[in-house]
Amino acid sequence: MFEKERDKYLNKHGFEKMHLKAVLFDMDGVLFDSMKNHAEAWSKAMTQMGFHFPKSEAYMHEGRTGTGTINIVTQRELKRDATEEEKEQIYKIKSDYFNSLPKAEPMPGALELLEKLKVDQITPILVTGSAQKSLIGRLNQHFPNTFVPELMVTAFDVKYGKPNPEPYLIGKRKGNLELNEGIVVENAPLGIESSSKAGFFTVAVNTGPLDNKILLDAGADLLFPSMQELANHWSELRKCLQQP
Ligand code: CA
């Protein structure tokens, strides 16, 4: 069912076959339904600091580190980089707003998918731009015995962050993987760009308000309308990506 997308990827990257061993997961908008909260917190914090930042903009920056987003806004509106003090202050205001909102729920379908991975002995790896320690801690609460610290990439591991391929290349190294041994699950254009540039087969899940076209144009090899749909099709996809 997914042979066409797989073979297109293999041809493009010069691999003969896929040997799926691991799935690299983004966190916000993939494992947790947290993007609405992030969008609201970013918009409130930026507005409070005198910047123009509608909620919709947050979805286009999704995946960047917080300081990366802040820099883009000061460049746009003040024609200069943000100072260290500004970065710290704005990120703190944003984090305080975020933490004051009701906790985001796990994304429907995420637990089911991760349980299927366990049965299939496929390794899950986390690759997030988040520096929200609280949310990372909640991974173990909602997805127990699933992610291990050695196989997590967070804002603390990276220098550039998404859309640079760096985070997924660190995930590749931590997982000791070849590119045709892993796939990425992402919901945001910059995350998809990062994964695609790193060279991974990239599965987009459109869990937010953006058009499918934006995710496909960013470099997604395959797209599902939700995590539940990906979970529903997991068995077929795995078989397609574990070539004898
Ligand atoms: Ca995301």
Side-chain angles (χ1 to χ4, degrees):
M1 189 177 179
F2 305 110
E3 284 82 2
K4 195 177 68 160
E5 290 86 355
R6 177 197 67 195
D7 291 346
K8 193 175 163 200
Y9 167 85
L10 290 173
N11 283 335
K12 186 176 160 195
H13 293 270
F15 296 120
E16 209 171 307
K17 288 177 180 180
M18 286 297 290
H19 300 292
L20 185 67
K21 291 179 181 170
V23 179
L24 296 88
F25 288 94
D26 172 50
M27 185 168 73
D28 291 299
V30 169
L31 298 177
F32 288 99
D33 193 6
S34 44
M35 272 312 295
K36 279 193 197 96
N37 288 358
H38 280 293
E40 185 172 336
W42 271 119
S43 182
K44 275 187 165 178
M46 289 291 192
T47 305
Q48 183 179 323
M49 293 297 289
F51 298 108
H52 176 71
F53 196 101
K55 280 185 206 172
S56 56
E57 191 180 340
Y59 290 94
M60 293 307 293
H61 288 298
E62 184 184 349
R64 268 190 227 291
T65 59
T67 57
T69 300
I70 293 163
N71 234 1
I72 284 176
V73 173
T74 62
Q75 275 291 354
R76 182 178 69 212
E77 303 204 2
L78 306 174
K79 311 292 175 217
R80 61 165 176 79
D81 283 342
T83 64
E84 289 306 314
E85 202 176 25
E86 284 169 328
K87 286 180 194 168
E88 220 168 274
Q89 187 185 10
I90 297 170
Y91 195 72
K92 175 157 192 330
I93 297 171
K94 186 259 167 178
S95 298
D96 288 348
Y97 274 130
F98 181 82
N99 291 328
S100 77
L101 294 168
K103 291 271 176 271
E105 292 297 316
M107 190 64 80
L111 180 62
E112 188 182 327
L113 177 60
L114 287 164
E115 292 299 324
K116 287 183 177 185
L117 256 63
K118 263 183 213 169
V119 173
D120 294 332
Q121 298 188 308
I122 301 284
T123 305
I125 299 174
L126 182 80
V127 181
T128 177
S130 178
Q132 297 278 341
K133 284 177 184 157
S134 59
L135 202 50
I136 292 168
R138 292 179 71 232
L139 278 171
N140 289 330
Q141 183 191 337
H142 291 283
F143 310 110
N145 306 317
T146 303
F147 293 97
V148 294
E150 304 81 58
L151 296 178
M152 288 186 189
V153 181
T154 74
F156 302 105
D157 293 289
V158 301
K159 183 172 176 202
Y160 303 106
K162 303 169 189 177
N164 191 287
E166 176 199 33
Y168 282 107
L169 291 175
I170 296 174
K172 173 182 178 288
R173 196 186 67 218
K174 287 194 179 192
N176 194 21
L177 295 171
E178 299 298 331
L179 288 168
N180 60 345
E181 293 175 337
I183 61 170
V184 168
V185 181
E186 262 286 354
N187 71 308
L190 299 179
I192 292 166
E193 188 183 331
S194 166
S195 160
S196 173
K197 278 185 182 160
F200 279 112
F201 185 92
T202 307
V203 178
V205 286
N206 195 354
T207 61
L210 303 177
D211 285 341
N212 285 345
K213 187 174 185 305
I214 296 178
L215 304 185
L216 292 167
D217 287 351
D221 296 286
L222 186 62
L223 184 142
F224 290 95
S226 64
M227 279 294 277
Q228 186 62 59
E229 279 299 306
L230 171 55
N232 294 349
H233 288 95
W234 169 251
S235 171
E236 292 158 72
L237 182 61
R238 178 188 63 77
K239 283 176 196 152
C240 179
L241 298 178
Q242 288 187 320
Q243 296 177 265

